[in-house]
Amino acid sequence: MPNILSIATSALAAAQAGLATTGHNIANQKTPGYSRQLVIQTSLGGQDLGGGYIGSGTTVETVQRVYNEFISKQVVAAQGSTSQLQSYATQIGKINNMIADSSTGLTPVIQDFFKGIQDLVANPGSAPSRQAMLSGAESLAARFQTMDGQLRAIREGVNTEITASVTNINAYAEQISSLNNAIAKAQANGQPPNDLLDQRDYLVGELAKEAKVTVNKQNTGYSVYIGNGQPLVVGNSVYKLTTVASSTDLGRLQVGYTTNGTTVTLPEEAITGGKLGGLIEFRNKSLDPIQNSLGRIALGIAETFNAQHRLGQDQNGNLGGNFFNSAQPAVNADYKNTGTAVVGATISNVSALTTSDYRVSYDGSNYSVTRISDNASMYSGATFPTATIDGVDLTMTSGPMAAGDHYMVRPTVNGAADFNVLIKDLSSIAAATPIVTGSTTTNTGTGAISAGSITAAFTAATVATPVTLTYNSTGGTLTGFPATMPVTVTTNGVPTTYAAGAAVPYTAGSTISFGGAEIKLSGAPADGDTFKISANVNGQGDSRNMLALGELQTKNVLQGGTANYNTAYSQLVSLVGNKTRELQVNSAAEGGLLKQLQTAQQSESGVNLDEEAANLIQYQQAYQAAAKVMQAVSDMFDILASLGR
């Protein structure tokens, strides 16, 4: 017959296990990653006594955690996506706050600079007006440098956060490996170590917040992979990540993978998800092009303003020089190159510049140029490229490139940092135009000559001797041009060049140029009417070149003739603002999805205190009932003992 005392003892032990498990659940209700645990009981079966089977009690088969692997995987994936978007949004938000601020952006200083130019147009000989214009230029340069400095500070911050993220990934990998070992030992008795399993799954979730990982369950525990399948944890083995400097930019940290004592740089496109993926995506897709875009604007202003300033005349009678410094492209050789070539780059067309960097490579047979932003092939051939690529000319000197060599060309990265004012002397501001024109007072026709301008081909020799043009009504021609200079007449956009010393047909409204000097004649001159072009000996009251400089504010001289200074910057502000908003919306949406998944997970695996309180009462009653059975057994033994006396 079944032992009643044994039955009572098993019931008491089961109730005690239930009470302990319920108490454990209550104690860990706030523990991150904890899954509710249940006591799984089974019957010990019964014994056939002829009149039926009489039970033998119960046993605790196991303590099981309530865990849904499918939902847990979804939560881990959502944690990685949310962390990536939040990381990206946080970083670009810093830039958006900087460039969109009306007090710290470029727009107000550009406007102030051109306000000073307009004042100088009205007062070309005024020292205060010249000083105001120069001060506006200095403020513009300072703003470019400050904004670029803030972008570089953000870049340094990204390096710091990449290092911290790699450190966290390695720490989580070590802990997961240790838990693999501890779980394997604990499972030797055939029972699941629930708390250790929860800790390991929680660490996988925390790891996913740093970078996207793939987890495979194996007999040796979890195997965790990162990137393109590089193992991070395999059983008890850990393969660590590290940070390495870019081979073409020592100030740019990349992620390296260490195996067998060798560190290999992981492709940046392979690192996705989590904080680390967000940082790298932000740097590649936003920070780099934004800094390049700011540099492109600075270069555009410097080059176009300089070009016009050089066409002017300063108060000393000299042709204008460069007003702003224009940065040269940065060219960085890979430190692993084995060839002796020196690759250089210069900007030949600022309007054609993009915001991308370029990779110049040689495979032993062919040279190639790749635009980084869209991975487009810009050149491939057996000889080094000599054609202009997106406004940039490349050169190679000092020896050949070796197979496998490559260089990074960054045309605009230093544009804002190196933007500064070269003119320091007020008298060196070229407000005037080097030539003056006029009609002879004895002219009887209605012909008129324009004020005149010059091109880059102009030299003082052009008007060293005043040029007097005479109209001949018989042939309808002009004579008197310098004997050594060809003359080009442009009518309705069509140029025609005449040999030096030849008579030039007159067409009203056409542009006439020689030796870098340009004029327009209009009206109907009479026979013998003369027009003079001479050097501007005293240009103190002349502001024609400053007027031309002021007109640059609204001219579409940037981005292939589609943008002026202000619109180019406005486009940058809009680009950053739209991207920031996009990330904020996507981050909020992904965060909402994560919250829903976590709620679903908690509804199944989380600890409900009301439910546990009910379980506590249930197990308490079961414990008391089992104790009463034992008391009944004790009373039975007492009765049997008394019968024997």
Side-chain angles (χ1 to χ4, degrees):
M1 181 176 179
N3 189 325
I4 300 177
L5 181 61
S6 175
I7 293 173
T9 301
S10 70
L12 195 67
Q16 190 174 30
L19 284 169
T21 300
T22 300
H24 188 59
N25 286 340
I26 294 172
N28 288 282
Q29 190 259 343
K30 292 292 185 181
T31 300
Y34 180 79
S35 299
R36 179 167 57 95
Q37 297 179 10
L38 296 176
V39 173
I40 306 300
Q41 292 179 227
T42 57
S43 171
L44 288 176
Q47 183 179 355
D48 185 5
L49 299 179
Y53 283 87
I54 304 298
S56 301
T58 186
T59 185
V60 175
E61 184 176 272
T62 188
V63 177
Q64 183 183 76
R65 65 174 180 152
V66 181
Y67 178 75
N68 188 314
E69 184 175 355
F70 176 72
I71 293 180
S72 295
K73 286 184 176 180
Q74 287 184 308
V75 170
V76 168
Q79 283 175 325
S81 298
T82 301
S83 182
Q84 177 179 9
L85 289 168
Q86 288 176 342
S87 175
Y88 197 154
T90 298
Q91 295 297 328
I92 199 170
K94 299 175 185 177
I95 299 178
N96 187 53
N97 292 338
M98 174 185 71
I99 69 172
D101 191 326
S102 59
S103 62
T104 60
L106 273 181
T107 301
V109 289
I110 291 177
Q111 292 173 342
D112 287 346
F113 173 53
F114 279 96
K115 182 180 178 181
I117 290 177
Q118 297 305 326
D119 183 58
L120 187 54
V121 169
N123 305 284
S126 168
S129 294
R130 286 176 172 262
Q131 184 59 61
M133 182 266 190
L134 195 59
S135 296
E138 292 286 1
S139 296
L140 178 61
R143 184 62 53 86
F144 268 121
Q145 293 168 14
T146 297
M147 293 179 70
D148 184 83
Q150 290 174 316
L151 292 176
R152 291 176 190 270
I154 291 174
R155 189 177 297 278
E156 286 299 319
V158 169
N159 281 345
T160 299
E161 294 200 36
I162 287 176
T163 301
S165 185
V166 167
T167 300
N168 289 339
I169 289 172
N170 289 336
Y172 290 138
E174 288 281 2
Q175 294 174 64
I176 291 171
S177 173
S178 297
L179 283 169
N180 277 343
N181 185 46
I183 289 170
K185 291 179 179 179
Q187 288 181 148
N189 63 0
Q191 294 294 338
N194 296 320
D195 295 279
L196 294 179
L197 293 172
D198 282 343
Q199 291 176 32
R200 184 173 65 181
D201 288 330
Y202 174 73
L203 288 174
V204 168
E206 293 299 294
L207 178 58
K209 293 179 182 178
E210 299 294 337
K212 180 181 178 181
V213 293
T214 302
V215 179
N216 289 334
K217 281 187 175 181
Q218 297 179 337
N219 293 334
T220 55
Y222 280 1
S223 290
V224 183
Y225 302 88
I226 197 170
N228 286 328
Q230 286 79 10
L232 194 63
V233 179
V234 178
N236 300 334
S237 301
V238 178
Y239 302 87
K240 291 189 175 182
L241 301 182
T242 187
T243 55
V244 294
S246 167
S247 60
T248 56
D249 183 357
L250 298 181
R252 184 188 187 94
L253 288 186
Q254 295 181 301
V255 179
Y257 179 77
T258 302
T259 177
N260 297 325
T262 301
T263 299
V264 179
T265 301
L266 294 178
E268 292 191 332
E269 61 272 14
I271 303 172
T272 60
K275 180 181 178 181
L276 184 59
L279 289 169
I280 291 176
E281 185 180 11
F282 159 72
R283 184 173 65 184
N284 291 345
K285 294 186 178 180
S286 289
L287 182 56
D288 287 348
I290 288 170
Q291 188 169 25
N292 288 346
S293 182
L294 186 67
R296 181 174 66 168
I297 295 171
L299 283 167
I301 293 176
E303 289 288 339
T304 55
F305 198 88
N306 286 347
Q308 184 61 50
H309 191 261
R310 290 194 297 267
L311 301 182
Q313 177 178 283
D314 65 19
Q315 288 184 310
N316 301 313
N318 300 319
L319 290 175
N322 284 338
F323 194 91
F324 293 111
N325 180 62
S326 185
Q328 293 301 308
V331 180
N332 302 109
D334 192 314
Y335 65 75
K336 295 177 288 187
N337 287 354
T338 58
T340 59
V342 175
V343 172
T346 56
I347 296 172
S348 59
N349 183 359
V350 70
S351 182
L353 292 174
T354 71
T355 59
S356 181
D357 298 333
Y358 300 79
R359 181 185 296 109
V360 180
S361 306
Y362 181 62
D363 62 7
S365 299
N366 290 306
Y367 294 91
S368 62
V369 179
T370 304
R371 188 165 57 202
I372 302 298
S373 60
D374 55 3
N375 203 37
S377 175
M378 306 304 294
Y379 174 81
S380 180
T383 59
F384 190 82
T386 56
T388 300
I389 298 174
D390 288 343
V392 179
D393 294 332
L394 300 173
T395 59
M396 182 176 70
T397 59
S398 302
M401 291 173 65
D405 285 0
H406 73 268
Y407 298 74
M408 188 66 68
V409 179
R410 309 177 70 188
T412 65
V413 67
N414 293 323
D418 292 347
F419 184 91
N420 56 71
V421 181
L422 298 177
I423 298 292
K424 303 300 180 184
D425 185 353
L426 297 180
S427 65
S428 296
I429 298 175
T433 296
I435 63 173
V436 292
T437 64
S439 302
T440 306
T441 57
T442 57
N443 285 358
T444 59
T446 60
I449 188 171
S450 66
S453 61
I454 68 169
T455 68
F458 179 84
T459 65
T462 301
V463 289
T465 301
V467 176
T468 301
L469 303 181
T470 303
Y471 177 70
N472 184 338
S473 61
T474 302
T477 60
L478 292 168
T479 57
F481 292 99
T484 59
M485 299 178 186
V487 178
T488 298
V489 178
T490 303
T491 305
N492 297 324
V494 179
T496 303
T497 301
Y498 299 90
V504 175
Y506 170 72
T507 302
S510 295
T511 299
I512 302 172
S513 60
F514 59 93
E518 285 190 347
I519 60 167
K520 281 186 179 181
L521 287 176
S522 59
D527 186 55
D529 283 356
T530 57
F531 306 90
K532 291 186 177 181
I533 305 102
S534 60
N536 191 357
V537 178
N538 184 358
Q540 292 295 326
D542 183 5
S543 60
R544 283 176 293 158
N545 193 56
M546 192 54 57
L547 180 63
L549 288 168
E551 291 172 349
L552 289 174
Q553 183 180 14
T554 56
K555 278 188 176 181
N556 290 339
V557 293
L558 305 182
Q559 299 176 24
T562 63
N564 59 42
Y565 301 157
N566 284 319
T567 55
Y569 183 69
S570 296
Q571 289 171 7
L572 174 60
V573 173
S574 178
L575 174 69
V576 175
N578 289 338
K579 187 63 177 180
T580 302
R581 179 59 181 163
E582 173 195 332
L583 288 166
Q584 289 172 341
V585 170
N586 290 343
S587 179
E590 195 67 27
L593 174 61
L594 173 60
K595 188 174 182 179
Q596 291 176 4
L597 290 170
Q598 289 174 329
T599 299
Q601 184 185 50
Q602 285 300 303
S603 67
E604 185 170 348
S605 301
V607 176
N608 185 309
L609 292 179
D610 292 336
E611 183 180 346
E612 297 303 323
N615 290 340
L616 196 62
I617 294 173
Q618 178 184 354
Y619 285 122
Q620 183 181 15
Q621 291 175 341
Y623 191 89
Q624 291 171 345
K628 287 182 179 180
V629 173
M630 295 188 73
Q631 181 63 50
V633 172
S634 178
D635 291 344
M636 290 172 60
F637 276 117
D638 287 343
I639 292 172
L640 291 174
S642 65
L643 292 176
R645 290 195 293 268

